[in-house]
Amino acid sequence: MKYLKELLSLVKRNIRDYGMYIALFVIMITFTVLTDGLFLSSRNISNLLDSAGYIAVLAVGVMLVIVIRHIDLSIGFLAGFLGAVAAILMVNYGMPIYVVIPIILFLGICAGSVTGFLVAKIGIPAFVATLAGWLIYRGAILLATEKTGTIIIDNETFNAIGNGYIPAIMEVAGLHFLSLILGGVLGILFYIYSAITNRHKKIKYNFEVVSKPIFVVQLAFMSVVIGYITWLLAGYNGFSWTVVIILAVVFIYHFITTKTVIGRHIYAVGSNPEAAHLTGISVSKITFLVFGSMGGMLSALSGILFTSRLQSATTTAGTLFELDAIAAAFVGGVSAHGGVGKVTGALIGAIVMATLTNGMNLMGVGIAPQYMIRGGVLALAVIFDVMTRRQRG
């Protein structure tokens, strides 16, 4: 009884972090029941994660922009435009993929840096600056594809980024062996090591930690979740390259935001820009960095993932991407007031939104109700944010 009360108290204190996981679990169980288990099949979960890839990457970037109290409306069409540029470079100019990808990422950084300069140095409101970018990149896509309409990409290596899977090496009982090792063994061990290390650091600096029994339950529960997801994916074709890229992005940006000085400065600026400036933090530099590296570059990567998955560049690429990414960021726990949000939360938010779409498609729900339901989920996420802030206040 004592440990149950402690567990409930832990969930209540961290409801912002745990709420999204609880919501995802409830949604997945609901769709599994309504589709007679089809939703939780290995093939469907693999396709769901792959389809969420480009939005998950965008969500990480826009989450950080929202954390510093700004918004970026240009990321969707920027991703679509840079995906079209990648297609043109490969198809029309015969450039190899190992040259094209660095060029596209660099162009993304340049585009984001221009927006960052307008916002941080010139003082143009982010909404206006990025709305201008939205219009410019939309026109650029139409201009780039006006002659051919759809640019078909026949580069197998490039297309494998959005549709391929890591090599199996061998199969064990019909399961993808390398995926089992990476997720079921190394993934679980890495999680346990990270959790124990963080707990020891908190104890060292006299921060509050949960009791050992509750901590062990947390470790066991998350290990089972990681193992089960790995088992599902290994039952189809294993980890896709899209999933590998998503995990790499989440790992890198989670490390930057939680373990580095830059990460602390980002949240300081988001929490109180004036106070951050008085402590010596360059608010303009942080704004410039977030828009450039964490907005523009991730938009470029998102464009690569989307174009690769479609194996073509189209005139409609990028449509509503920014709205899906912003919705995923808010569902994942980012605060509209700035200063609050996690990279892992953005990923979970993207998976929640992709899960809703996937589950409703399996049930044959029309496109109109789908938009309404997703809008309702977004509204609930923002209401949840407002309510939790009031309780803390």
Side-chain angles (χ1 to χ4, degrees):
M1 193 66 179
K2 171 186 174 183
Y3 295 128
L4 179 60
K5 289 182 178 179
E6 182 183 357
L7 183 60
L8 293 175
S9 176
L10 176 66
V11 173
K12 186 177 180 180
R13 290 197 310 271
N14 299 276
I15 188 63
R16 176 187 289 275
D17 296 331
Y18 294 155
M20 68 187 98
Y21 293 98
I22 295 172
L24 177 59
F25 179 77
V26 171
I27 292 170
M28 294 183 75
I29 292 299
T30 300
F31 281 133
T32 300
V33 173
L34 294 177
T35 60
D36 296 325
L38 179 61
F39 174 81
L40 215 54
S41 65
S42 296
R43 184 189 185 105
N44 187 61
I45 293 299
S46 179
N47 289 333
L48 186 156
L49 293 177
D50 287 348
S51 65
Y54 66 96
I55 293 299
V57 171
L58 268 186
V60 171
V62 80
M63 182 277 295
L64 292 166
V65 173
I66 296 172
V67 163
I68 62 170
R69 303 188 177 192
H70 290 298
I71 196 68
D72 194 338
L73 301 176
S74 67
I75 54 176
F77 283 128
L78 175 58
F81 170 62
L82 291 177
V85 172
I88 291 171
L89 292 178
M90 286 184 291
V91 175
N92 294 352
Y93 296 95
M95 296 180 66
I97 183 175
Y98 58 83
V99 174
V100 170
I101 290 180
I103 289 176
I104 298 303
L105 295 178
F106 176 74
L107 290 176
I109 293 174
C110 292
S113 297
V114 170
T115 303
F117 177 80
L118 294 175
V119 174
K121 299 296 183 180
I122 306 300
I124 299 176
F127 182 89
V128 177
T130 59
L131 180 58
W134 185 96
L135 294 169
I136 291 171
Y137 299 132
R138 176 56 178 151
I141 294 174
L142 295 175
L143 189 63
T145 58
E146 66 177 350
K147 293 182 179 180
T148 58
T150 298
I151 304 173
I152 305 298
I153 303 172
D154 60 1
N155 188 309
E156 292 184 3
T157 304
F158 181 81
N159 292 337
I161 296 174
N163 300 280
Y165 299 84
I166 64 174
I169 299 179
M170 60 181 292
E171 288 191 359
V172 177
L175 299 176
H176 195 278
F177 181 71
L178 184 56
S179 295
L180 288 176
I181 295 299
L182 293 178
V185 179
L186 297 182
I188 292 175
L189 290 177
F190 178 76
Y191 166 73
I192 293 175
Y193 171 78
S194 299
I196 293 175
T197 302
N198 288 334
R199 178 181 173 84
H200 287 166
K201 287 181 179 178
K202 288 182 178 180
I203 293 174
K204 179 180 178 181
Y205 293 104
N206 297 319
F207 286 106
E208 183 182 0
V209 296
V210 298
S211 63
K212 283 188 177 181
I214 296 298
F215 179 66
V216 171
V217 170
Q218 286 180 324
L219 291 181
F221 178 76
M222 287 306 301
S223 296
V224 170
V225 170
I226 295 172
Y228 182 66
I229 294 174
T230 300
W231 178 76
L232 280 176
L233 295 178
Y236 184 52
N237 285 321
F239 287 117
S240 67
W241 287 113
T242 296
V243 170
V244 171
I245 291 171
I246 294 172
L247 293 177
V249 168
V250 170
F251 175 79
I252 292 170
Y253 281 89
H254 178 71
F255 178 83
I256 291 173
T257 54
T258 60
K259 304 294 183 182
T260 67
V261 174
I262 292 176
R264 290 192 289 272
H265 286 181
I266 289 172
Y267 285 100
V269 169
S271 297
N272 193 323
E274 292 78 15
H277 176 71
L278 292 175
T279 59
I281 298 174
S282 175
V283 177
S284 61
K285 285 184 179 179
I286 292 298
T287 304
F288 188 82
L289 174 67
V290 170
F291 273 100
S293 173
M294 302 178 184
M297 187 177 70
L298 291 182
S299 295
L301 181 57
S302 175
I304 290 171
L305 288 173
F306 182 76
T307 305
S308 173
R309 182 163 178 78
L310 260 62
Q311 302 182 30
S312 62
T314 66
T315 56
T316 58
T319 304
L320 297 180
F321 283 15
E322 69 283 348
L323 299 185
D324 287 337
I326 291 170
F330 278 113
V331 170
V334 70
S335 173
H337 298 277
V340 176
K342 291 184 177 181
V343 172
T344 50
L347 171 62
I348 296 300
I351 294 176
V352 167
M353 300 305 286
T355 297
L356 286 172
T357 301
N358 180 275
M360 289 187 288
N361 284 335
L362 289 177
M363 293 176 59
V365 177
I367 189 66
Q370 285 193 33
Y371 275 118
M372 296 171 69
I373 292 171
R374 290 163 62 192
V377 170
L378 175 58
L380 289 174
V382 177
I383 292 171
F384 181 75
D385 169 52
V386 173
M387 296 299 292
T388 52
R389 289 181 69 89
R390 286 179 180 176
Q391 290 178 0
R392 292 181 179 181

